[in-house]
Amino acid sequence: MTNSPLAHRLEGFGASIFAEMTALAVQTGAINLGQGFPDYDGPPEVLRIAQEQIALGNNQYPPGIGVADLRQAVSVHQKRFWGLEYDPNSEILITVGASEAIAASLLGLLNDGDEVVVFEPLFDTYAGLTSLGGAVLKPVTLRPQPDGRYTFDETELAQAFSSKTRVILLNSPHNPTGTVFTTEELSIIARQAIERDLIVISDEVYEHLVFDNAVHVPIATLPGMHERTITISSGGKSFNVTGWKIGWACAPAHLVNAVRMAKQLFTFAGGTPFQVAITAGLRLPDEYFSTLAADLQEKRDMLTNALSAAGFVPIKPEGTYFITADISNRWPHLNSLEFCQQLPHACGVVAIPASVLYHPTHATEGTHLVRFAFCKQLSTIHEASERLVNWK
Ligand code: PMP
Ligand code: GLN
């Protein structure tokens, strides 16, 4: 075979930066603040239920749409935290992580030549999946305001739409900038969606990880949006079990059906014992969710201060467990990829170059931005902070 066997639709997409940077951390023994996964475990009662379920023999396929009790728990969770109502039998689909929910939403909805409006920097799978769906990504760049917070320009957003736009793919709280979109910002997006009769795929995996006075608002709660929004989340971030990959999509039945048509071709279903355990997680008291955010906030503050002291200009995130920081004050001669390749050797810490989270034609937007994950034990964040501050 002389030519590359890779499908044209996957040309130009490199290997996952998260895998690459974690491999670098393993190879160098550096502290891994790159890929976003906790170095601590989920709630003991949730872990115990998964172990019990395996021991009890609950190890065969779950129903294609997910374990009934989990769909019930997702429905109650959406009502309890956000006031959103979904019928557990027809409007909720359990998926293999939020990743599969996003993939199945895009591939279940998109036709050749459709356009997908998305904010960048963006989560890495969005671009490749849009291409797999035969569609075209229309990125709108988030930029820092005078106070350092990243947001979009309303005119630039309006210019991203055309008669071919089919979907808006939204992520709030936003990875990697940490912006939690306000009701005003969401209203601007919603107005476009309603006027143009679009579908919104809303990736809300960090829904419980918000700090200070920031409030997470699901776009489906805005007037006219419930009927056109697929709201996606996952147990990975809320229960510190990223390897379990139990996610869900909530939407009116006709939209969930489209997602399910694609999803059944990917994995059909998976993770039976973990679905039962996440059910218990979703039923934990409010205090569990508020403590989760409060613990992370302390780590955010420690790492933000250390990054400032080390000569970075960090964006203090309103949500998620990532801090994106500008390196150009102290390292103007390095781009973020070079910087992240050198950082483990020079200082014993791993980060993610944010430049790869931009559309290839906009990569210069992120030339000086790197992302650090702070979902680590306080002692890990403390040690990483010491290394960064004392780095000569
Ligand atoms: N969306 C965003 C914005 C993420 O950061 C992640 C983290 N991996 C995912 C989706 C995927 O979630 P999951 O691990 O549940 O597939
Ligand atoms: N969501 C995590 C991150 O952004 C992990 C992504 C991944 O490993 N694919 O780092």
Side-chain angles (χ1 to χ4, degrees):
M1 199 183 286
T2 47
N3 296 326
S4 162
L6 190 69
H8 294 321
R9 287 180 171 180
L10 287 177
E11 272 169 13
F13 299 102
S16 158
I17 191 68
F18 304 113
E20 185 183 332
M21 288 299 154
T22 288
L24 190 58
V26 171
Q27 184 196 323
T28 58
I31 299 176
N32 190 357
L33 303 188
Q35 192 177 23
F37 63 88
D39 66 350
Y40 42 87
D41 246 330
E45 56 274 53
V46 173
L47 302 183
R48 182 176 48 75
I49 290 171
Q51 289 164 348
E52 280 172 8
Q53 288 295 310
I54 292 170
L56 285 168
N58 195 7
N59 298 311
Q60 308 309 326
Y61 299 128
I65 58 170
V67 165
D69 204 25
L70 175 55
R71 284 183 279 114
Q72 179 66 38
V74 170
S75 174
V76 171
H77 171 276
Q78 294 305 91
K79 174 85 177 149
R80 168 180 159 201
F81 287 99
W82 319 122
L84 285 166
E85 299 206 16
Y86 295 100
D87 172 18
N89 294 320
S90 61
E91 298 184 319
I92 293 174
L93 178 70
I94 306 303
T95 55
V96 178
S99 299
E100 192 190 39
I102 296 162
S105 299
L106 289 168
L107 296 183
L109 292 167
L110 291 173
N111 290 309
D112 281 354
D114 283 349
E115 292 179 354
V116 176
V117 170
V118 65
F119 294 106
E120 66 175 2
L122 46 82
F123 185 56
D124 67 337
T125 69
Y126 296 176
L129 287 166
T130 300
S131 176
L132 271 184
V136 179
L137 203 69
K138 291 285 163 182
V140 177
T141 307
L142 299 173
R143 294 208 179 77
Q145 304 306 290
D147 64 359
R149 178 179 184 270
Y150 274 59
T151 190
F152 59 90
D153 176 77
E154 192 173 343
T155 311
E156 265 183 63
L157 176 67
Q159 285 164 353
F161 294 97
S162 81
S163 57
K164 295 183 185 158
T165 312
R166 182 93 198 290
V167 165
I168 302 174
L169 176 49
L170 180 69
N171 169 220
S172 180
H174 183 260
N175 174 11
T177 63
T179 293
V180 178
F181 285 99
T182 61
T183 304
E184 290 69 36
E185 288 164 330
L186 293 171
S187 301
I188 294 169
I189 300 164
R191 199 178 318 132
Q192 292 285 353
I194 293 166
E195 273 174 25
R196 296 171 180 277
D197 195 20
L198 306 175
I199 297 163
V200 173
I201 301 174
S202 185
D203 175 350
E204 303 181 11
V205 294
Y206 301 102
E207 60 189 330
H208 290 295
L209 310 185
V210 296
F211 314 120
D212 304 319
N213 300 323
V215 178
H216 171 61
V217 179
I219 195 164
T221 60
L222 270 58
M225 290 307 293
H226 187 275
E227 58 263 42
R228 62 180 67 254
T229 302
I230 303 172
T231 303
I232 290 172
S233 193
S234 137
K237 322 292 169 184
S238 299
F239 306 110
N240 302 324
V241 287
T242 59
W244 286 12
K245 286 278 178 178
I246 302 299
W248 47 88
C250 304
H254 67 287
L255 289 175
V256 160
N257 279 342
V259 183
R260 192 176 68 187
M261 289 296 287
K263 186 255 186 299
Q264 68 186 355
L265 303 176
F266 299 161
T267 59
F268 176 63
T272 313
F274 304 115
Q275 290 200 20
V276 179
I278 293 294
T279 305
L282 289 169
R283 291 177 177 153
L284 288 171
D286 290 359
E287 195 196 354
Y288 167 77
F289 297 92
S290 51
T291 307
L292 183 73
D295 284 352
L296 277 171
Q297 186 164 324
E298 188 184 355
K299 296 166 188 172
R300 174 199 67 165
D301 292 342
M302 183 184 282
L303 189 58
T304 307
N305 291 339
L307 288 168
S308 298
F312 295 80
V313 179
I315 312 166
K316 199 172 193 178
E318 299 166 328
T320 77
Y321 43 49
F322 303 113
I323 300 172
T324 293
D326 191 321
I327 59 170
S328 59
N329 265 4
R330 183 169 163 192
W331 299 275
H333 52 291
L334 288 179
N335 70 43
S336 61
L337 184 58
E338 292 163 344
F339 179 86
C340 289
Q341 281 162 345
Q342 294 176 19
L343 187 65
H345 304 283
C347 160
V349 173
V350 166
I352 297 286
S355 51
V356 302
L357 306 178
Y358 287 79
H359 191 268
T361 57
H362 296 174
T364 51
E365 296 276 354
T367 303
H368 299 298
L369 296 178
V370 299
R371 191 196 79 178
F372 295 85
F374 55 91
C375 47
K376 307 291 168 183
Q377 292 173 40
L378 202 55
S379 57
T380 314
I381 297 295
H382 188 258
E383 175 59 28
S385 299
E386 293 274 297
R387 290 184 189 187
L388 287 162
V389 170
N390 297 321
W391 181 18
K392 298 287 177 255

